[in-house]
């Protein structure tokens, strides 16, 4: 599992969900669709219409992969932080029942307001 409590070394960048679909397709349930995806060098995060899937590629070869599923119906609260003048990165914090806080950091080119609106649509 990705250690959500440690500070991120890499910031998430938006990417085309179609490029990630083959890797997460076996995990999807009927009717579940990819909405938006973000990636670092090897790891990525996918937001579907049902949950957030965090993918941690491990080891030198990358053959070992951890998939962490975080359902929207377990979100108790969330927060978005937009980019500022000096701090150009954006953040999303999600509080999950039974897990605690999950913090994701994004590059400034991520539309964090739209992401927050999407999550609100699934949670509220």
């Amino acid at each position: 599992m990705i250690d959500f409590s440690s500070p991120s070394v890499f910031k998430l960048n938006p990417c085309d969900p179609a490029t990630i679909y083959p890797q997460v397709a076996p995990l999807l349930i009927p009717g579940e669709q990819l909405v938006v995806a973000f990636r670092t060098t090897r790891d990525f995060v996918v937001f579907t219409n049902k949950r957030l899937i965090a993918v941690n590629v491990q080891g030198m070869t990358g053959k070992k992969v951890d998939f962490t599923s975080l359902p929207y119906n377990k979100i108790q609260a969330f927060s978005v932080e937009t980019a500022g003048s000096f701090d150009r990165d954006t953040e999303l914090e999600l509080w999950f029942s039974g897990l605690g806080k999950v913090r994701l950091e994004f590059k400034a080119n991520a539309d964090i307001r739209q992401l927050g609106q999407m999550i609100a649509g699934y949670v509220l």
Side-chain angles (χ1 to χ4, degrees):
M1 180 168 128
I2 295 175
D3 182 7
F4 294 111
S5 62
S6 68
S8 298
V9 175
F10 299 104
K11 310 285 190 239
L12 293 162
N13 272 312
C15 68
D16 181 3
T19 63
I20 291 174
Y21 181 80
Q23 296 173 59
V24 295
L27 302 172
L28 303 179
I29 62 172
E32 187 173 15
Q33 301 170 348
L34 298 186
V35 178
V36 66
F38 299 89
R39 76 174 319 135
T40 63
T41 306
R42 295 182 359 156
D43 301 335
F44 58 92
V45 175
V46 175
F47 292 84
T48 75
N49 59 330
K50 308 243 180 236
R51 61 185 159 163
L52 180 153
I53 301 172
V55 182
N56 181 11
V57 179
Q58 302 174 357
M60 295 285 288
T61 63
K63 289 183 179 181
K64 184 175 180 180
V65 181
D66 175 74
F67 297 90
T68 302
S69 177
L70 303 163
Y72 295 137
N73 65 0
K74 299 296 182 190
I75 295 175
Q76 295 177 319
F78 68 94
S79 167
V80 294
E81 183 179 298
T82 61
S85 297
F86 297 105
D87 182 8
R88 298 295 306 152
D89 299 325
T90 61
E91 296 175 11
L92 172 66
E93 292 182 330
L94 306 155
W95 284 266
F96 286 89
S97 171
L99 177 65
K101 181 171 76 169
V102 172
R103 183 171 173 254
L104 301 171
E105 293 185 30
F106 301 86
K107 294 254 180 161
N109 60 342
D111 190 348
I112 196 71
R113 287 185 179 114
Q114 182 181 17
L115 189 57
Q117 185 179 31
M118 180 197 76
I119 290 170
Y122 293 126
V123 174
L124 303 177

